[in-house]
Amino acid sequence: MKYLDVYLRQPRWMLHPMQAFIRDEDVVEYEELQAWTGIGGDRSVEYVLFYVEAELEPYAAALDSVESIRWYDLTPVDDGAFYAYVCQETLPADRSWREAFADLSVVPVPPVVYDSDAAFHMTLVGTGEDLQTTLSSLPEDIDVTVEAIGEYDRRHAPVVGDLTDRQLEAVEVAAELGFYSVPREAGVAAVADELGCAASTASDLLQKAESRVMRRLARRYGRRTSG
């Protein structure tokens, strides 16, 4: 079973009105699609759950302006963060790119993370052949960047997909030697010896790996609190 981490950027004509709102207005700091139902096939109505870090009132006003949204419920969780549960009609533009998943073994793994440009990161799981078919079936107007691909492991793929093989090896060696134990059982020099490199190289590998993992954890799973 393979996984694919992919970054998709749609042209303006293909954007959902709320994606256009994210791209055009400086309101949404972070948004992720956490769950959905009714998406795909010939269904005309879908239900989606988002976690959003944004100003609530402008976001609600934007939802009110979208004709395809039948109803929604916003649930604040702290200052500047809320959940958005939305019932909406499926737009033709959304249906056009989702057809790449139709009749394949490919399964999207939540969350789907949107950036400030309304592009999004998503993880797909399936056979290697079907993942390749999905990529080749996406509309040409969508800008596609493959960020990572490999054997699927939920413990790793969502967090360390940004790491190089050498960085991941350094982290694995460090963990085995006790570099991350409390108290620490091994230092950078021991990690470097095991990797067969200079201590400065080992330190650089670990620092870059830790930086990427922490930033990705914060982006995907972090929850800012007020105060």
Side-chain angles (χ1 to χ4, degrees):
M1 180 173 55
K2 302 290 186 180
Y3 84 93
L4 174 70
D5 272 359
V6 65
Y7 177 78
L8 304 176
R9 190 179 190 278
Q10 299 160 288
R12 175 161 290 277
W13 70 265
M14 196 179 287
L15 293 180
H16 186 279
M18 290 305 295
Q19 286 178 281
F21 173 72
I22 293 173
R23 180 176 293 185
D24 296 340
E25 305 296 332
D26 188 21
V27 173
V28 179
E29 296 183 20
Y30 177 90
E31 180 167 310
E32 65 181 33
L33 174 58
Q34 295 193 328
W36 54 84
T37 186
I39 292 179
D42 297 326
R43 297 176 181 176
S44 60
V45 177
E46 58 195 42
Y47 301 86
V48 289
L49 175 65
F50 292 93
Y51 167 75
V52 188
E53 293 180 0
E55 300 174 50
L56 190 147
E57 291 185 4
Y59 192 92
L63 289 172
D64 288 332
S65 70
V66 179
E67 293 184 3
S68 60
I69 294 179
R70 295 188 176 183
W71 55 262
Y72 65 85
D73 181 29
L74 303 182
T75 303
V77 291
D78 57 39
D79 185 22
F82 53 89
Y83 289 102
Y85 180 46
V86 180
C87 171
Q88 63 183 3
E89 299 169 11
T90 303
L91 299 178
D94 285 334
R95 195 184 303 278
S96 69
W97 72 267
R98 292 174 187 169
E99 289 178 353
F101 302 90
D103 301 323
L104 296 175
S105 68
V106 175
V107 176
V109 180
V112 177
V113 179
Y114 293 83
D115 64 17
S116 60
D117 197 39
F120 54 97
H121 302 258
M122 65 187 306
T123 297
L124 304 172
V125 169
T127 66
E129 181 180 356
D130 279 354
L131 289 174
Q132 184 59 50
T133 299
T134 296
L135 288 176
S136 61
S137 300
L138 287 169
E140 293 183 358
D141 289 342
I142 295 181
D143 183 24
V144 181
T145 301
V146 175
E147 299 181 314
I149 188 169
E151 290 295 329
Y152 182 71
D153 187 336
R154 181 63 182 176
R155 298 170 302 167
H156 299 156
V159 177
V160 303
D162 292 339
L163 270 60
T164 65
D165 290 343
R166 188 61 166 165
Q167 289 167 352
L168 181 56
E169 180 186 10
V171 170
E172 289 174 334
V173 167
E176 291 172 0
L177 294 177
F179 181 80
Y180 295 112
S181 299
V182 180
R184 181 167 290 175
E185 298 173 357
V188 172
V191 176
D193 287 343
E194 186 70 21
L195 291 173
C197 65
S200 59
T201 300
S203 178
D204 183 63
L205 288 169
L206 291 174
Q207 288 182 30
K208 288 182 177 178
E210 292 161 6
S211 175
R212 291 185 178 187
V213 168
M214 291 303 105
R215 283 189 285 107
R216 193 159 190 176
L217 279 173
R219 185 179 69 193
R220 288 210 171 197
Y221 306 113
R223 298 292 181 265
R224 297 182 301 115
T225 57
S226 59

